[in-house]
Amino acid sequence: MLVDVFQNMNGQFCFKNVDVIVGDGQVFKKCYLAIDEKKISYIDDKPPLWLQNNPQNIVDGNGYLVIPGLINAHTHAAMGFFRDLGHQRQSMIESFLFPAEKSLYPELIEPLTWSFIYGSLLSGVTCIVDHYYFSKGVGTALEKIGMRGVLGETVADIGGAFPGEDSLNRALEDLESWNFSERIKPAIAPHAADTVSDKLLKKLSK
């Protein structure tokens, strides 16, 4: 796979025969796309001049499409572990998910997040906007693999797995002790309109 090539090559290398869509929507068909220290440095229908002296540093990308990284704007990455477990259950959220989530603890969130990150990257998603419990575990997983994210600790006072004032305190503690790189941004993350009171929503807004 081209992903394997990209991960295992440093310095300069070049794809040929790839189709490319750049950020403004411009399309390049069957072009050359050069990488310099894991950053795109060249896109054109002619090969870069440096390739003449390094012909071994070319990879045939025929059949592949290169696009800007996608953003998944609503995720609960650690919940990938719950996939398919709630089928055919009545009141799935209240009777199954909330009780299951009560068993979560901070050290569990990072490993539960890995499979979601892997699936996201395979589908072209390079940034997630995620809110969940013990969200720093998600941040740790993102940091280790170099993926981008906007993360918020779930806040709720009248419903959900961990309702109460403590959820707000956890979120504030996270903001005060945020130590991730620039790729990972913090956010305020109220759970839902039926699990957060009007009073708390106004406080979060301020």
Side-chain angles (χ1 to χ4, degrees):
M1 292 179 64
L2 292 188
V3 171
D4 299 321
V5 173
F6 183 76
Q7 289 177 337
N8 294 319
M9 294 186 71
N10 293 311
Q12 287 182 319
F13 67 99
C14 185
F15 295 118
K16 67 177 181 179
N17 296 324
V18 291
D19 296 334
V20 180
I21 301 176
V22 297
D24 61 2
Q26 189 176 2
V27 178
F28 295 85
K29 302 285 287 186
K30 299 295 182 184
C31 70
Y32 290 85
L33 183 146
I35 304 292
D36 190 350
E37 297 298 336
K38 296 191 176 182
K39 292 186 178 180
I40 295 173
S41 60
Y42 179 91
I43 302 174
D44 202 354
D45 58 357
K46 300 180 180 63
L49 293 177
W50 62 259
L51 195 60
Q52 296 175 4
N53 299 322
N54 298 277
Q56 73 281 2
N57 286 13
I58 192 164
V59 178
D60 191 351
N62 186 44
Y64 284 87
L65 174 67
V66 178
I67 63 173
L70 301 175
I71 299 173
N72 189 337
H74 185 141
T75 68
H76 313 288
M79 288 189 74
F81 180 76
F82 295 127
R83 189 170 292 150
D84 294 333
L85 297 180
H87 285 182
Q88 299 180 345
R89 294 175 184 265
Q90 297 297 318
S91 303
M92 181 185 71
I93 294 177
E94 291 79 9
S95 67
F96 171 66
L97 284 179
F98 287 169
E101 288 173 332
K102 287 182 183 294
S103 300
L104 296 173
Y105 50 91
E107 293 77 14
L108 195 58
I109 299 303
E110 180 189 345
L112 290 182
T113 300
W114 280 106
S115 62
F116 185 90
I117 291 177
Y118 179 73
S120 296
L121 291 172
L122 284 180
S123 65
V125 173
T126 62
C127 179
I128 61 174
V129 182
D130 191 271
H131 77 92
Y132 205 53
Y133 307 105
F134 315 116
S135 59
K136 279 196 168 182
V138 179
T140 300
L142 293 175
E143 195 79 278
K144 286 181 178 178
I145 204 167
M147 191 174 178
R148 297 175 296 148
V150 179
L151 308 181
E153 176 69 21
T154 293
V155 178
D157 60 343
I158 57 174
F162 301 101
E165 193 73 18
D166 284 347
S167 66
L168 176 57
N169 294 334
R170 284 196 302 271
L172 293 175
E173 288 172 5
D174 281 356
L175 291 174
E176 291 170 359
S177 62
W178 198 259
N179 60 354
F180 294 112
S181 68
E182 284 296 305
R183 290 191 307 270
I184 304 172
K185 307 290 187 182
I188 300 297
H191 182 266
D194 60 347
T195 56
V196 184
S197 67
D198 289 347
K199 179 180 178 181
L200 181 55
L201 280 174
K202 291 177 182 178
K203 182 182 291 188
L204 293 174
S205 176
K206 290 180 181 180

